[in-house]
Amino acid sequence: MHQVTFKPGTTITQQRRLELLRHYLIDDAVALPARAAAVLMLLCAQPLSRIHRLTRDDLLTIDGTPHLRLGDPPIPLPTPAAHLLHRLVDEAGRGGRWLFPGRLPDQPVAYATLHRRLRASGFPLGEARISALRQLVLQAPAPVIADALGFHQTTTTRQHANAGGAWSRYPTNRNN
């Protein structure tokens, strides 16, 4: 029987990830949808296959703070990222439900179109996403990251191990 194996993947440094984040937050030379997708990959480790299908309803305001529903609970967004996403909504106009609208009415942008735009801007798709996820699981327990970002716990646990994380389990409630 063939055993499934996972390659750890290549990454970029945290410094490079933050440089890319700054670049895509402010560089108007890159198309807005590509910028917004890059920021979501760099901040939230989301794959492009999820990003292109986000709806306007996934962009929330809770107690005056912008949030994005990727898992449960929705995650708070830093103000610059929220502004970028709201600008994306404003430029798309009133029609449609998609955060990244496509050419056809009521269809999201095609995965291949968004992928091509990111590649054309020089964005390291896989490396950026894996680096973001590894950084996130080093900062918080893998199960918490899995729930908040809509990942399977096996994925976040594997990336925690690939990142060289030291803890192995989420601490239990000690008040019981």
Side-chain angles (χ1 to χ4, degrees), residues 5 20 24 31-33 35 38-39 41-42 44-45 57 60 65 70 83 110 112 118 134 145 150 165 168 173-174:
T5 58
L20 285 167
Y24 284 95
L32 184 59
R35 290 175 55 204
V39 166
M41 281 185 168
L42 291 162
C44 309
D57 291 341
L60 310 164
T65 303
L70 299 169
H83 283 239
L118 283 165
R134 287 186 186 172
I145 297 299
S168 62
N173 185 349
R174 296 177 189 229

Side-chain angles (χ1 to χ4, degrees), residues 76-94:
L77 284 173
T79 302
H83 283 239
L84 193 66
L85 293 177
H86 283 291
R87 190 171 151 208
L88 188 66
V89 169
D90 292 344
E91 286 190 11
R94 291 187 170 267

Side-chain angles (χ1 to χ4, degrees), residues 52-57 92 94-110:
H52 88 108
R53 298 199 55 84
L54 288 171
T55 67
R56 292 175 183 218
D57 291 341
R94 291 187 170 267
R97 61 178 265 219
W98 302 103
L99 192 54
F100 294 86
R103 286 185 174 183
L104 299 175
D106 204 34
Q107 292 294 315
V109 67

Side-chain angles (χ1 to χ4, degrees), residues 116-137:
R116 193 170 39 255
R117 288 178 184 166
L118 283 165
R119 281 285 180 219
S121 74
F123 186 74
L125 282 106
E127 296 91 346
R129 192 178 73 73
I130 291 169
S131 299
L133 185 54
R134 287 186 186 172
Q135 188 63 38
L136 291 167
V137 296

Side-chain angles (χ1 to χ4, degrees), residues 37-50:
V39 166
L40 290 175
M41 281 185 168
L42 291 162
L43 282 179
C44 309
Q46 291 300 295
L48 202 53
S49 58
R50 283 192 201 154

